[in-house]
Amino acid sequence: MKKKVFLVDDEEIISTLINGFLEEKYDVKCFLSGEACLEALSTENPDAIIVDAHMPGMDGLATCEAVRKRFENMPIVLMSANESEFEKNLAIRAGAQHYLGKPIRGQELMGALNRLVPEASARIV
C-alpha cells in the first residue's frame, strides 16, 4: 500500500508536475489552499505534507503552524521560490522538517520524503 502525501500549492501546474513525479511511489492528494488541506485533515491522516510557502489566504507558514498544532509529528516539507536562509529559518520554526527551493527538483523532493517517511523509502527502487 502506498503512503499518502498531501500536496498544497495554489498553482495547479506545479501540483500536476509534482504529482506526476510522486504518484508511482505515493498516493498524492492535491489541495489549492492551506484551508482545504486543514479541512481534509479532519477526516484523513497523510504520512507527510508538502506545502508551498507563498499562497493567497493562509500561506505555507501558517499552514505548517496549524498542522503542527493538530499533528505534532507530521512530516512537513515547505517549498518556496524565494529561497533564503531567513525564510528557511521561518519554515523550521513554523514546523517544517525540510525546506526546498523552487523549481523543485524531483530527486531532491523524493530524497526528503524518503528521510521523513522512512518506511516508504524501503519500498522505493
Side-chain angles (χ1 to χ4, degrees):
M1 180 178 224
K2 292 181 184 179
K3 296 293 181 177
K4 184 185 294 187
V5 173
F6 279 8
L7 173 59
V8 187
D9 197 308
D10 61 314
E11 296 181 55
E12 280 189 72
I13 188 72
I14 300 295
S15 292
T16 301
L17 290 170
I18 293 173
N19 182 38
F21 185 78
L22 296 177
E23 68 184 349
E24 185 177 323
K25 311 292 184 205
Y26 293 94
D27 177 18
V28 181
K29 187 162 188 179
C30 300
F31 301 93
L32 295 174
S33 70
E35 294 90 350
C37 173
L38 291 176
E39 185 176 324
L41 284 171
S42 64
T43 59
E44 297 181 61
N45 190 14
D47 296 290
I49 298 174
I50 303 165
V51 61
D52 183 30
H54 303 283
M55 299 180 291
M58 178 180 266
D59 69 7
L61 294 173
T63 302
C64 284
E65 290 170 347
V67 168
R68 188 63 55 226
K69 285 179 184 174
R70 291 169 65 183
F71 300 94
E72 185 177 300
N73 297 315
M74 177 67 65
I76 302 172
V77 175
L78 189 92
M79 53 187 182
S80 176
N82 301 329
E83 204 171 348
S84 71
E85 279 301 310
F86 178 73
E87 188 165 68
K88 182 178 183 178
N89 289 331
L90 287 176
I92 300 304
R93 281 197 296 257
Q97 284 94 344
H98 202 83
Y99 177 87
L100 294 175
K102 284 183 173 181
I104 295 297
R105 290 163 294 287
Q107 292 299 332
E108 189 177 7
L109 177 57
M110 188 65 78
L113 288 175
N114 288 348
R115 285 187 297 283
L116 295 173
V117 187
E119 10 350 306
S121 65
R123 294 195 326 259
I124 293 175
V125 177

